[in-house]
Amino acid sequence: MSLNNIFAALLPKEDKFFPQYQAIADRIVMGADLFTGLVGTEDHDKQVELYTKIKALETECDHLIIKVFEELNDTFVAPFDREDMHQLCDDMDDVMDYINASAKRLMLYRPARIPAKALHMAEVILEGAKAIQAATRELPYMHKRPEIALQQCEKLHDLEHEGDDVYDNFVKELFETENDVKELIKIEEIMQNMEEATDRANHVGKTIKTIIVKYS
């Protein structure tokens, strides 16, 4: 048994953090789902409505993360390394931030058309959000069954590569077919933010994997 596991067995645990991580992940999923709907409509009023809901979820995530940090300062025994707890919060916050940023740009820039690859990328983001949700639900059980969370971390890695491929192919086609420079800049920036969301989701997977390696 590792030294970390010995301490984990002997000391009382502060399990209140696990529901907070799960609550953050739930909001990321809700935000990604709303974002998929936003990408799928060209009705500007509907886009504004969906963005408003996404922004509210992003604000809720910020409050939950602040609560984790505050309670961590008042906690003697954390469920795992404090630095890793901070990093997981930061990574999850980044995912929600880039979903919000993508939605905001799409709503404000109002591109003349929304390419099919944007919807594909939104679906990749949603799948990544669901993988984060599934992985965080397994954090309380990482000592007993780490393989379930690790499978979700591997899925996040694969989705990040899929997002890269979608983005690279999109940029290639965009520069070959789009003659309006303003439209090109608008659409490319939106897609770049979406691709960044998939990267940040993979960072969540890497952090969770680090936690599992340390404590399983």
Side-chain angles (χ1 to χ4, degrees):
M1 180 180 287
S2 70
L3 187 59
N4 282 329
N5 281 340
I6 292 172
F7 281 126
L10 293 176
L11 295 173
K13 299 177 183 178
E14 288 284 358
D15 292 336
K16 62 187 177 183
F17 294 103
F18 295 127
Q20 292 170 355
Y21 281 117
Q22 291 162 19
I24 296 166
D26 290 345
R27 282 156 179 78
I28 292 173
V29 171
M30 287 187 282
D33 189 43
L34 290 169
F35 180 61
T36 302
L38 193 156
V39 175
T41 182
E42 295 186 359
D43 183 332
H44 185 64
D45 290 339
K46 186 67 175 177
Q47 289 177 347
V48 172
E49 176 189 341
L50 292 170
Y51 168 69
T52 301
K53 292 179 180 179
I54 292 168
K55 178 60 181 176
L57 288 167
E58 190 262 345
T59 301
E60 288 179 22
C61 281
D62 287 343
H63 291 159
L64 285 165
I65 288 168
I66 290 170
K67 185 177 180 182
V68 170
F69 289 163
E70 290 176 345
E71 293 188 356
L72 191 56
N73 289 334
D74 296 329
T75 299
F76 180 66
V77 182
F80 46 90
D81 188 87
R82 292 169 186 269
E83 183 177 345
D84 292 332
M85 293 183 71
H86 276 272
Q87 188 62 55
L88 184 54
C89 279
D90 288 341
D91 291 339
M92 294 174 75
D93 185 42
D94 285 343
V95 176
M96 190 68 231
D97 284 347
Y98 275 103
I99 291 172
N100 181 70
S102 301
K104 183 178 182 179
R105 281 165 174 75
L106 200 155
M107 183 267 299
L108 290 177
Y109 292 177
R110 303 181 69 172
R113 63 181 182 85
I114 300 174
K117 282 187 170 58
L119 183 57
H120 186 174
M121 186 71 86
E123 291 168 349
V124 171
I125 293 170
L126 178 56
E127 286 304 305
K130 290 178 179 178
I132 291 170
Q133 184 184 53
T136 54
R137 284 177 177 171
E138 288 299 313
L139 285 176
Y141 317 109
M142 61 184 172
H143 302 289
K144 299 178 180 179
R145 54 186 197 205
E147 65 280 356
I148 299 177
L150 289 173
Q151 288 171 0
Q152 298 303 318
C153 294
E154 187 62 30
K155 183 175 181 180
L156 286 164
H157 176 75
D158 292 341
L159 287 168
E160 192 263 343
H161 280 290
E162 183 178 351
D164 285 345
D165 289 342
V166 173
Y167 177 74
D168 290 343
N169 290 329
F170 164 78
V171 171
K172 180 177 180 293
E173 292 179 11
L174 181 67
F175 280 89
E176 289 175 350
T177 60
E178 182 57 67
N179 296 317
D180 188 322
V181 176
K182 289 183 179 179
E183 286 297 311
L184 187 151
I185 293 171
K186 287 191 291 186
I187 299 172
E188 196 278 332
E189 186 175 336
I190 292 166
M191 286 291 287
Q192 189 176 54
N193 275 268
M194 294 170 72
E195 191 270 340
E196 191 65 38
T198 67
D199 287 348
R200 301 297 172 152
N202 188 36
H203 289 179
V204 174
K206 289 179 179 179
T207 300
I208 291 176
K209 187 174 181 179
T210 297
I211 292 166
I212 292 171
V213 169
K214 284 183 180 180
Y215 292 94
S216 63

